[in-house]
Amino acid sequence: MNTEYQTSLPQSREQRRRKTGSGRIVFFVLLWMLLIAAGAGGTMWYTEQARIAVTSDLERQTSAQIAALQSAYDQRLAQVEQDFEAELTTLSGKVDQLNELLTFTKDNATDRTDNSNKLYSQINEVKKQLDELKKSLDVLK
């Protein structure tokens, strides 16, 4: 019986070693899986936080650029309108002067001169241009 006990004893130690060794391997594998999962989760979280930060920064920069462009556009449009009105005023003065000259020329015209017709044609062309400029100004406003 004693020999039986001694032969069964090493087998039970061997079995315990196998169980303990396989338990350690399972624990080790589970620990590595947990670390890998935590790393993947941390990476996903960090990536999402970085994306949110970049997106908000881009939105802020874009809105600032749009505001600057809008301001520049408004200033340019105001300058164009101002220049256009000044040009329109100058052209209107010229048209009035031509009208006075035309009236004077018609009053002093004789059968020998035909300058009044040429001047009248030029005044009509200037009036047409003035009307076009007024329409353009209305479109800009």
Side-chain angles (χ1 to χ4, degrees):
M1 240 193 185
N2 218 358
T3 55
E4 241 181 69
Y5 177 71
Q6 286 178 353
T7 57
S8 66
L9 184 63
Q11 286 178 353
S12 65
R13 281 186 188 168
E14 186 68 29
Q15 287 174 354
R16 275 190 264 165
R17 282 185 195 159
R18 285 185 189 168
K19 286 183 182 179
T20 308
S22 66
R24 286 182 183 169
I25 291 174
V26 170
F27 175 75
F28 183 73
V29 168
L30 289 175
L31 180 64
W32 271 106
M33 290 178 134
L34 180 66
L35 288 173
I36 291 170
T43 302
M44 290 173 57
W45 176 82
Y46 179 77
T47 303
E48 182 65 20
Q49 295 301 315
R51 186 192 62 79
I52 290 170
V54 167
T55 302
S56 65
D57 190 36
L58 283 175
E59 286 175 356
R60 182 185 50 78
Q61 289 176 0
T62 303
S63 64
Q65 288 176 349
I66 288 173
L69 286 174
Q70 181 68 35
S71 175
Y73 175 78
D74 290 342
Q75 288 175 352
R76 288 181 189 160
L77 186 60
Q79 183 64 38
V80 166
E81 285 179 1
Q82 195 176 42
D83 293 345
F84 190 72
E85 287 176 7
E87 187 178 335
L88 195 59
T89 303
T90 304
L91 193 58
S92 179
K94 288 180 181 180
V95 168
D96 290 341
Q97 288 175 354
L98 285 174
N99 278 334
E100 290 174 12
L101 185 60
L102 179 61
T103 303
F104 176 77
T105 306
K106 277 186 179 181
D107 290 343
N108 294 327
T110 62
D111 292 338
R112 289 186 228 157
T113 59
D114 195 21
N115 291 337
S116 63
N117 288 338
K118 291 179 185 177
L119 187 58
Y120 186 72
S121 298
Q122 289 175 353
I123 289 175
N124 281 339
E125 288 177 21
V126 171
K127 281 185 179 181
K128 287 178 185 177
Q129 289 178 356
L130 180 63
D131 290 338
E132 289 177 15
L133 287 172
K134 285 181 181 178
K135 289 179 184 177
S136 296
L137 179 62
D138 292 338
V139 169
L140 283 174
K141 289 181 180 181

